[in-house]
Amino acid sequence: MTEPTNAPEDNALRALYASHRDEPDAALDARILAAARDAAAQPPRRKWRYPVGVGAAASALLAVVLMLQTPQSTDELRPLGQSSNEFTGKLDAPRRAPASAVAETPAALPVSAETIAEPASVGRQAEERIAAVVKDSGAEDMVVGSSVPEELAAAAPTVAQESRPAKASLAKLESRLEASVASGRAMLTAETHREIELAAADRAPVSEACRASEHVATDGVALCIDDHQIQVHDAGGCDEVLTLERTTLGTVTLAREDDWIVILIDDARIWRVRCAANAWQVEALR
Amino acid sequence: MTDDTMSAGAFAIAAIDAGGSNDDALMVAYCNGHAASFENLYRRHKGAVYRFFLRQMPKCDAEECHHEVWIKVIKGRSSYEPRGSFVPWLFTIAHRVLTDRHRSAMRRPIVAIDNDPDLLPSSNPGPEDATDQARKLNQLHALIAELPITQREALLLREEAGLSLAEIAAVTSTAEEGVKSRLRYAMQKLRAGMSP
């Protein structure tokens, strides 16, 4: 027997063990050899190692291509701590509002607590986001127009002062929003990939050229929003349609400040545009 | 016979004549359709495989396992890679078959060995043949059958298959030191059992 020590007594055991060798029966041998001959007569099975490898590589490539072509999630573009559900929940508020409550022109909207309570949350959130971005970009003065409408100015101080939650009380913000809604200057927030729910008066077709599913119109200015661009139409001023390109998919937030339209895209870019003397003025604030 | 199979057979025969490690060549020839190469392989290793099982289970079970191993060799020929390790590959299959058999045996009712003549060592000679040599051999087989499973398997892989410690470790998925210990304990028990 084999053992690392290889002692003589182990060799004796090995010899004893090897003295008799059992073998399988001839019938068993015949069965196995017959199976071997049958198998040899058939062509060998194709080896799948290489095709499987090629298939796996092709699958990985396809996955990468699909991943690159898939639009970025809007969650990635939101501020930290703000989930998609949280944001959608706030947007849901105006969707539940009865159409009759907002069917008339914004200026004619009743300024009641029931009408304003939920849109106010949307407007406040959008306004805070814009104000924060504007503040970060150091462009506060540009956003705050020099000629604030009387009704807005009377209701509240400037946006720059009120957009700092630390300094402005909630009551002041709400009162200013009430005034904004009453004057037709309420914030409008649109999200791509979701049907925007605005009042019927605000959903007038922008133009025949606008084929996007989302468009908003307010104060004579209409916006056509799709995944690639935002077209701005000014019915009372510029004949030309202003086109702003979008590089990401996510939330588009709009605000009116005097005759300026402030457009925040995906918390990343912010424009301020207005039509003056039949020409568009565009300022990229960030 | 096609040209391919003829050339594969010629290659196998040349390898055998060279006297080197030709199990690989025989297996490759068989993979290429040369049935005679398998017969050669089978003749070389059938006894080792058969006894590997026979020392660990009744004869009828050993025959079943032996058949199963060779059928797996036949079916798995396309996955065989000739790297000079046919015997370890063969006994890796045998080890798996044995493991499966142990597992299924654990689920079956235990048959008392005294009541089942099939469970007695197969080389048990009759009273008329009971020479001293045969009695000692019978005693040795009985001692091997009584070894713990892992020690017995290591011993048989060493004695029947002629595997090295490293090869036994690879076949049984054990550390080499563990294999060495198992062999040492097995031999101690056999020596103690065979001493007068």
Side-chain angles (χ1 to χ4, degrees), chain A residues 1-5 7 9-10 13-17 19-25 28-29 31-33 35-37 39-40 42-45 47 49, chain B residues 30 35 38-39 42 46-47 50-51 54-55 63 66-67 70-71 74 77-78 81 123 133 136-137 140 144 155-156 158-160 184 187 190-191 194:
Chain A
M1 307 293 283
T2 305
E3 219 276 7
T5 58
E9 51 188 343
D10 293 343
L13 281 178
R14 174 187 285 167
L16 176 63
Y17 182 79
S19 65
H20 182 80
R21 295 287 192 185
D22 292 290
E23 295 285 332
D25 292 344
L28 182 57
D29 291 347
R31 276 169 56 200
I32 292 167
L33 292 175
R37 276 191 293 272
Q42 297 165 358
R45 278 188 188 174
K47 290 185 179 180
R49 278 173 297 169
Chain B
Y30 177 59
F38 180 85
E39 289 180 26
Y42 182 71
K46 67 172 184 175
Y50 179 67
R51 288 187 296 274
L54 189 66
R55 301 290 167 242
E63 287 180 342
H66 175 79
H67 181 261
W70 288 101
I71 294 299
I74 293 166
R77 65 190 188 283
S78 58
E81 294 189 7
S123 59
Q133 176 80 358
K136 284 183 178 174
L137 183 62
L140 179 59
I144 291 172
L155 181 76
L156 291 170
R158 181 82 169 191
E159 293 306 316
E160 293 292 354
R184 188 169 60 247
M187 290 307 298
L190 294 183
R191 280 196 298 267
M194 294 300 289

Side-chain angles (χ1 to χ4, degrees), chain A residues 107-239:
Chain A
L109 283 172
V111 187
S112 66
E114 294 106 9
T115 312
I116 292 173
E118 290 191 334
S121 67
V122 178
R124 185 166 59 249
Q125 192 214 27
E127 192 173 23
E128 285 171 355
R129 289 168 61 211
I130 288 179
V133 171
V134 170
K135 183 188 169 197
D136 291 346
S137 68
E140 286 181 11
D141 292 339
M142 285 192 289
V143 173
V144 180
S146 56
S147 59
V148 179
E150 284 183 14
E151 66 272 28
L152 188 58
T158 61
V159 172
Q161 290 168 339
E162 287 194 358
S163 61
R164 296 185 180 118
K167 294 181 180 177
S169 68
L170 187 62
K172 280 184 180 177
L173 281 172
E174 286 181 347
S175 67
R176 195 179 73 78
L177 275 164
E178 283 182 19
S180 297
V181 170
S183 63
R185 297 172 191 283
M187 302 294 177
L188 302 176
T189 301
E191 279 207 350
T192 54
H193 305 300
R194 291 190 182 92
E195 184 68 23
I196 191 166
E197 293 291 340
L198 292 172
D202 290 340
R203 295 193 52 120
V206 175
S207 70
E208 289 188 3
C210 181
R211 296 280 181 261
S213 62
E214 296 178 358
H215 49 262
V216 293
T218 182
D219 273 14
V221 176
L223 293 104
C224 174
I225 305 168
D226 66 16
D227 288 351
H228 307 290
Q229 61 188 19
I230 298 171
Q231 290 181 323
V232 187
H233 306 252
D234 189 345
C238 297
D239 298 328

